[in-house]
Amino acid sequence: MAERDPYQVLGVSRGASDAEIKKAFRKLARQYHPDRNEGSANAEARFKEVQAAYDSIGTAEARRKHEQEQMFSGFGAGGNPFGNRGGFAGMGGMEDVFSQMFGKSMAGAQQQRSAPRPPQERGHNANAWIDLTPEEAKQGGSFNITYTQLIPGSHGSIDRKRRTLKVTVKPKSKHGSEIRIKDQGHGHPQGLNGDLIVTIRVDPGEGCRWDGDRIVKEVEVPYSTLVLGGKVTVTLPDGVKGKITIPPLSQVGDRQRVKDIDIEFTLAEIEDLNESQTDAIQALRDAGL
């Protein structure tokens, strides 16, 4: 299964600051930490996902590296267009480099310069993303995107060209749908450019995230309600409020479907305890809970 976008995992925008990302990470890490969710496989999986997301975008340098890896996601091991060969160090690996970058071995290229490759030889497709609000996805329209195109240069070099294109989005476009723009992908040393594949990402709404093709909204549930069952109030992205029933012995990470939204149970944050609450929890501990 492909890894989810780290910005969506942490619930922050792509323009979030280091401080905003760290704050979101700390909140989620506390919420899903194994020590607070003993025996919950869902919470453990979410904790690992949150940690991996923070590792990917927690600093400006990490975000820069993440964006580069996204650009090169179609180029072999680790998203590196040069595989594990360390770029152009040593000319002995150049044939393999061009094989990965442009789709065909360059063996004998020096002897075949006078015979151009057939036009059907193409460079790799490039990938880009476009972030839309639900209203923009519903109405459609023209939007600008910016991406990096790789072009074969002289003497085996690779030139990076930053490009901006206008993309037409059809009305009622869905999250995850793709737009293919012909011949606007990465170049080929003796052939045609690949295509540009633009993936639509629709904002799922405040406090929500995408999990595959389903929108997930987290709702905080007190520990006593998770164990004993009860009702909690939920506000959906469209502003509609309502109560849902939490079954007894629910676990962090359990979900309940409401309209088109998956409501995922999380443990409510506890900032402080008064004396009676402390005594009640101590009594639970003494009773083996």
Side-chain angles (χ1 to χ4, degrees):
M1 180 181 295
E3 292 184 0
R4 292 199 297 124
D5 182 85
Y7 293 95
Q8 292 186 4
V9 172
L10 296 179
V12 297
S13 69
R14 303 187 76 81
S17 65
D18 287 0
E20 290 171 328
I21 293 174
K22 181 177 289 187
K23 180 179 179 181
F25 163 70
R26 287 178 173 174
K27 177 181 178 181
L28 292 173
R30 287 197 305 269
Q31 180 177 325
Y32 293 109
H33 197 282
D35 290 347
R36 301 185 65 176
N37 301 275
E38 186 174 355
S40 173
N42 286 334
E44 181 179 0
R46 284 281 284 137
F47 178 79
K48 291 179 179 178
E49 184 181 42
V50 167
Q51 181 65 64
Y54 183 73
D55 290 344
S56 294
I57 63 172
T59 64
E61 176 63 21
R63 290 195 294 279
R64 184 190 65 79
K65 182 178 179 182
H66 170 73
E67 295 301 328
Q68 287 183 341
E69 290 175 347
Q70 291 297 304
M71 292 176 191
F72 298 135
S73 60
F75 294 104
N80 181 351
F82 308 114
N84 294 320
R85 301 181 183 276
F88 289 104
M91 294 301 289
M94 285 299 293
E95 293 178 6
D96 291 338
V97 169
F98 278 101
S99 177
Q100 291 188 32
M101 284 295 295
F102 304 116
K104 188 173 181 181
S105 172
M106 293 293 290
Q110 296 294 330
Q111 293 79 10
Q112 297 177 11
R113 284 181 177 174
S114 60
R117 298 194 173 187
Q120 64 268 21
E121 293 296 328
R122 305 181 68 90
H124 279 286
N125 294 334
N127 294 295
W129 298 265
I130 182 169
D131 295 308
L132 303 176
T133 66
E135 292 75 19
E136 289 171 335
K138 181 178 180 180
Q139 295 177 5
S142 295
F143 303 89
N144 288 332
I145 63 164
T146 301
Y147 70 104
T148 297
Q149 184 184 46
L150 303 181
I151 303 296
S154 59
H155 305 294
S157 64
I158 304 298
D159 297 329
R160 299 178 62 190
K161 182 179 180 181
R162 198 69 173 159
R163 301 197 59 196
T164 298
L165 294 178
K166 188 176 291 292
V167 176
T168 299
V169 176
K170 295 180 179 179
K172 299 182 179 179
S173 290
K174 302 296 184 182
H175 175 81
S177 58
E178 295 181 343
I179 302 170
R180 179 180 290 266
I181 305 178
K182 191 172 179 59
D183 299 334
Q184 299 302 316
H186 300 305
H188 188 284
Q190 296 186 21
L192 302 176
N193 290 350
D195 295 338
L196 173 64
I197 309 299
V198 181
T199 302
I200 294 175
R201 297 190 295 207
V202 180
D203 184 356
E206 184 177 356
C208 297
R209 70 177 193 274
W210 286 99
D211 187 358
D213 60 352
R214 305 183 75 160
I215 296 177
V216 178
K217 179 178 178 61
E218 296 179 351
V219 58
E220 291 190 342
V221 182
Y223 178 71
S224 59
T225 304
L226 280 174
V227 176
L228 300 176
K231 293 183 180 295
V232 296
T233 300
V234 174
T235 302
L236 298 179
D238 59 7
V240 174
K241 292 186 177 180
K243 291 185 177 294
I244 62 171
T245 299
I246 309 297
L249 300 180
S250 292
Q251 302 290 321
V252 169
D254 287 351
R255 294 181 182 181
Q256 189 173 131
R257 191 73 166 168
V258 177
K259 294 187 176 180
D260 295 328
I261 310 294
D262 281 352
I263 304 299
E264 182 174 279
F265 306 155
T266 65
L267 187 62
E269 292 287 324
I270 301 175
E271 298 294 338
D272 197 10
L273 295 173
N274 58 36
E275 185 176 350
S276 63
Q277 290 172 330
T278 301
D279 292 341
I281 291 176
Q282 182 61 54
L284 288 175
R285 176 188 288 176
D286 295 340
L289 292 178

